[in-house]
Amino acid sequence: MMPGIADSAEQIGEILRAHDGLEGPLIPVLHAVQAAFGYIPGDALPLIAQHLNVSRAEVHGVISFYHDFREEPAGRHILKLCRAEACQAMGADRVAAHARDALGIGWHQTTPDGSVTLEPVFCLGLCACAPAALVDGRVLGRVDEARLDALIAEVRP
Amino acid sequence: MRIYVPRDSAAKALGAEEVVAAVRAEALRRGLEVTVVRNGSRGMVWLEPLLEVDSEAGRIAFGPVGPGDVAGLFDAGFGSHAKALGPTEDLPWMKAQTRLTFARCGVIDPLSLDDFQAHGGLAGLRRALGMTPDAIVAEVTDSGLRGRGGAGFPTGIKWKTVAGATADRKYIVCNADEGDSGTFADRMIMEGDPFTLIEGMVIAGLGVGADKGFIYSRSEYPDANAVLAEAIRLARAFGLLGASVLGLGPAFDIELRIGAGAYVCGEETALLNSLEGKRGVVRAKPPLPALEGFMGKPTVVNNVISLATVPVILERGASFYRDFGLGRSRGTIPLQIAGNVRRGGLFETAFGMSLGAIVDDLAGGTATGRPVKAVQVGGPLGAYFPRALFDTPFGYEEYAQKGGLIGHAGIVVFDDSADMLAQARFAMEFCAIESCGKCTPCRIGAVRGVETVDRIARGDAAAIPLLTDLCETMKAGSLCALGGFTPYPVMSALTHFPDDFHRSAKEAAE
């Protein structure tokens, strides 16, 4: 069952209080909210703004500036493929095209069954074992089409 | 028996966790007492996962090891085996290096303060604790250390500015937002020897009179962040961080912050805004962050490698460090060799090695076996060098003279299948995606740049001078290096690989 609005307000309040005393707490707060909910719910904005004494517009501005923060829930698994130069030199564009075809979605989209969200990422620091990917926080190197197919099969049984 | 399997993310990305599981299972099956140490990486990524065992002759390496090799390694008593490489220190890649910043990386357990100290850790800090702040800053200045993040500004001068400022609070900010493609030195030190970074930050705090430090890392580095968070916790428990540094010095503490996927936050003023909880928008300079940085207070902003190099400078003295290098590039540089290479990884050496020696000798050419076409040095804002520039020695001024930059010393190799027009287009596209939006040449210029490259691709040769002109505007008019340096990859692609731009014109005409 989804938590009710009152429950989420309670949870967001706890997150905000846990960050009291930090210098410049907004980014850590947003990370914590996203870790708890999987995204930043719209209801969280006024609560965060009020607690940190900034405007809702400022909170929205920060959320929309950073690639990491999402305002909609993602799929059950998040597949990030590196698109930067070192990975390009090892065929990342080809692998990415294969991923989009295999999943039938584009960048930043989620498969209709809700299993996988596909995200581009610019450098995972795995440039000597390119192309690189990050699946739910797990690093993968030398990702070719076959490895990608195996991975997709693993997360989409 | 001790078995070392790196916890470095490159090793994990190539199956280190599966190897560890296989080692534990095999040891259990054979009833053997085995301690698995999760060290950092030695930097030989093509040999990862690199498994090592202790022996009378030192550490013996095996690699690349897959889980299927493990039973065989036990059968062979970790002696003669197809994956045996011999003593790690005797491998050509290791022997040819001058490991100062990375001396402990791959050797020690990154989360053992005992191991850290047994290998020289804290010696630099202990010496600094007996020195005046001025003497600490002078030592760093005399070492010739320059910012390893890319700008190459002398670290000691930056510290002196902060030390000389009067304020109720000062800060040390470690820029760990290593977003440049082809670079992973920061990640490797954070995963492989995090206490070195902490020690360097504490010394910086002593030198300039700061009691608070931030490490601004990246969300793209989950493994590094986990190691850092644990290292900070252990450093506090040990008394390296806290109310009195080692019980001998003033207070210093460190807080780990994680960015949120914005490349521009690697620029120091955008990073400071992000730390303050704002959009990562670049600030105009002056005021310098050294005088008005985090929360308007005097702030040292240094790259991970700059800070992680400070302990060895304090331990062994400025002149020891300064004696390595070439011209105005003093000391050592951790080269990160990546992309389409046979042997990729991290190689720390004195400044001055030629690009050709790096690409042909160290890296052994391309992984695909095809000829090298272009080498991008210094990340997405670095120039593409053709083979004709392979005699360029590795140094700040030496690269600037050839229309390039060394940046954070990432070296990305491309074979002859690379389309340099597509690479130029990507540079503009990346700038458009990552622009913070504050200044017009970057925000609008990058978008127009993509369109102009597309015109060239459609055969419109008249768009080539337009692209050159646009690059001049971006270079001269942008507020920071994102807009200002995007012309490097674009113009170097156009200058050194004109066929890729004119060929498109011909193809379109046919």
Side-chain angles (χ1 to χ4, degrees), chain B residues 470-486:
Chain B
L470 177 66
C471 281
E472 283 303 314
T473 304
M474 288 176 71
K475 210 169 169 176
S478 298
L479 204 51
C480 83
L482 180 50
F485 288 6
T486 293

Side-chain angles (χ1 to χ4, degrees), chain A residues 95-115:
Chain A
V95 175
H98 181 80
R100 292 198 301 272
D101 284 349
L103 293 168
I105 53 173
W107 296 117
H108 306 289
Q109 292 179 350
T110 302
T111 52
D113 65 358
S115 60

